[in-house]
Amino acid sequence: MNSAVVGLQWGDEGKGKIIDYLSGDVDVVVRFQGGNNAGHTVVLEGKKYVFHIIPSGILRKDKICVIGNGVVIDPKILIEEIDHLKKMGVSISPKNLRIAFLSHVIMPYHRVMDSFRESKRIQKIGTTKRGIGPCYVDKASRCGIRMIDLINPKVLAFKLKDNLKEKNPLYKNVYGSSHFSFKKILEEYSRYAKILKPYCCDTVDYLYEKRKKSFLFEGAQGTFLDVDFGTYPFVTSSNTVAPNCYLGSGAPFIKIDRFIGVTKAYTTRVGEGPFPTEFAGKLGEHIRAVGKEYGATTARPRRCGWLDLAILDRSVKVNNITEIALTKLDVLDGLKEIRYCSSYTGAFKKYSKFPYDLGEARPVYKKVDGWNEKTADTRQYPKLPKLAKDYITTIEKTLGVPIKLISVGENRKAVIKKS
Ligand code: IMP
């Protein structure tokens, strides 16, 4: 069985935990997009692991983790992540971690550009300022530096020189940026190249050899941050949706059986952009506190709101979702009433299709009764409070997709399997 796991909302759905849970049954875990803008958290025996670039499957000893060509890599951060995880007792070597020759490298000027654009432009995106967007821009404009270039000293020197020839005057004139030193960057990145070289390979051949094994594709961010299908321009710069598993890994020969969409039992978002069901006032503070809704990468407070089934319906379609993993159900414990958005209305219209002007759309809410009982210790579906099960059934019926996993806490074991 091969699976793809993707976020159905605006990221931070709790994919790390679900991937960790599911990776027990697979051989290979592949990241296929994004970079260290992601922060996948797994809590295991009281220890908290946060993954930014390395697939969360690395916590299981016998798994192979692959960083696909669709990922953008900040080598400094990746090396720090490897070192940090090793110190926490995780074994990482070229035997269980492979990096695609064709993945692109985040350079210092990408990070600087990310910050400049955020500060100078009228339209702020609220990026993580990790250089993700500018790195993908260089990839598309054919001046990017890939891992295969990084580990070849002559190619690295040539491409860096060529980039700086263009970027130094451009950044200085447009943004007033200080000069990027060719020598300094070359020295720094040559050091990174030496460390990462043993991990790099042709992942197409590597994955093809393993095609009979079982795979899990690990999505980062969420459907509404997808550069094509998300709330553009308030999106990230990669395709976060499940069909990108193939392009971002170079492994279309692996048939995916399960498309698992992860959604919280409510909604959160970090950064700018429309969010129709966002809470105003005290409820938002309550959910943020109980759900510990602060970014795993930037520690920014997340915006919180009710579950939006209209956006989830869209996500189910664009990802071909076959089952859902519902996370953070326990955060809703004790609420008197739970609302969810079923459709949208506008000042002058009622939307029959998914709105492109989501910022103008007003949610039409339906409500169900909340439950008083604590769900965090529940491990069997029949033992959940009846009203919690009613909420789950409502989501399933509205979306037409079964919910097969329910997460009720941050620990690996706090999962309810539902048939
Ligand atoms: P970028 O990916 O850093 O360019 O940021 C673009 C948008 O995506 C911003 O709104 C970020 O807050 C958001 N974003 C990027 N990565 C994540 C993530 O892993 N979780 C949630 N939001 C994210």
Side-chain angles (χ1 to χ4, degrees), residues 261-298:
V262 187
T263 172
K264 279 179 187 161
Y266 49 96
T267 311
T268 62
R269 164 160 217 178
V270 227
E272 306 297 320
F275 183 174
T277 63
E278 186 168 10
F279 297 131
K282 287 239 158 24
L283 193 53
E285 287 163 30
H286 168 80
I287 296 289
R288 188 175 302 121
V290 179
K292 298 184 191 149
E293 295 297 355
Y294 295 88
T297 299
T298 57

Side-chain angles (χ1 to χ4, degrees), residues 135-170:
C135 185
Y136 280 115
V137 166
D138 276 3
K139 174 179 179 175
S141 62
R142 294 152 295 176
C143 61
I145 297 179
R146 302 162 303 172
M147 288 304 288
I148 196 162
D149 306 323
L150 179 80
I151 61 177
N152 181 328
K154 272 194 189 151
V155 178
L156 175 63
F158 171 77
K159 290 203 164 185
L160 179 61
K161 188 166 269 175
D162 205 21
N163 265 289
L164 292 185
K165 196 173 158 216
E166 181 197 20
K167 286 182 167 85
N168 264 331
L170 192 72

Side-chain angles (χ1 to χ4, degrees), residues 72-73 104-107 110 131-140 144:
V72 288
I73 297 174
H104 278 246
V105 179
I106 297 177
M107 303 298 290
H110 292 141
I132 307 293
C135 185
Y136 280 115
V137 166
D138 276 3
K139 174 179 179 175

Side-chain angles (χ1 to χ4, degrees), residues 30-224:
V30 188
R31 262 286 297 268
F32 57 91
Q33 47 74 225
N36 61 309
N37 46 352
H40 294 171
T41 308
V42 179
V43 179
L44 186 57
E45 285 154 13
K47 277 193 193 171
K48 187 171 177 177
Y49 302 84
V50 182
F51 301 94
H52 297 289
I53 315 172
I54 298 175
S56 329
I58 203 84
L59 286 181
R60 296 187 188 264
K61 273 197 184 115
D62 48 344
K63 311 297 165 193
I64 292 163
C65 289
V66 176
I67 299 174
N69 55 280
V71 176
V72 288
I73 297 174
D74 187 322
K76 179 171 184 279
I77 303 295
L78 177 56
I79 292 165
E80 281 172 8
E81 192 167 327
I82 293 173
D83 288 346
H84 179 68
L85 287 169
K86 278 184 176 171
K87 275 190 196 132
M88 289 185 83
V90 181
S91 69
I92 304 181
S93 75
K95 280 195 184 138
N96 65 346
L97 179 67
R98 308 301 291 180
I99 304 168
F101 278 150
L102 301 181
S103 51
H104 278 246
V105 179
I106 297 177
M107 303 298 290
Y109 44 80
H110 292 141
R111 287 191 299 268
V112 169
M113 172 62 113
D114 204 354
S115 293
F116 274 139
R117 297 200 89 191
E118 278 295 278
S119 62
K120 304 269 167 162
R121 288 182 56 202
I122 298 166
Q123 180 92 87
K124 315 269 182 232
I125 308 294
T127 75
T128 58
K129 299 189 183 154
R130 301 297 192 259
I132 307 293
C135 185
Y136 280 115
V137 166
D138 276 3
K139 174 179 179 175
S141 62
R142 294 152 295 176
C143 61
I145 297 179
R146 302 162 303 172
M147 288 304 288
I148 196 162
D149 306 323
L150 179 80
I151 61 177
N152 181 328
K154 272 194 189 151
V155 178
L156 175 63
F158 171 77
K159 290 203 164 185
L160 179 61
K161 188 166 269 175
D162 205 21
N163 265 289
L164 292 185
K165 196 173 158 216
E166 181 197 20
K167 286 182 167 85
N168 264 331
L170 192 72
Y171 280 36
K172 185 167 181 260
N173 290 335
V174 179
Y175 298 111
S177 159
S178 51
H179 186 81
F180 293 100
S181 155
F182 168 75
K183 193 165 164 266
K184 253 179 142 175
I185 300 177
L186 187 65
E187 268 171 22
E188 183 188 345
Y189 275 65
S190 301
R191 255 187 290 124
Y192 302 149
K194 277 202 188 108
I195 299 169
L196 293 177
K197 190 174 177 182
Y199 293 92
C200 296
C201 73
D202 182 312
T203 46
V204 176
D205 285 348
Y206 185 79
L207 294 175
Y208 189 76
E209 277 165 25
K210 304 214 162 354
R211 67 192 178 283
K212 298 263 160 64
K213 296 198 175 282
S214 57
F215 280 72
L216 191 154
F217 291 90
E218 169 172 350
Q221 289 87 44
T223 301
F224 283 89

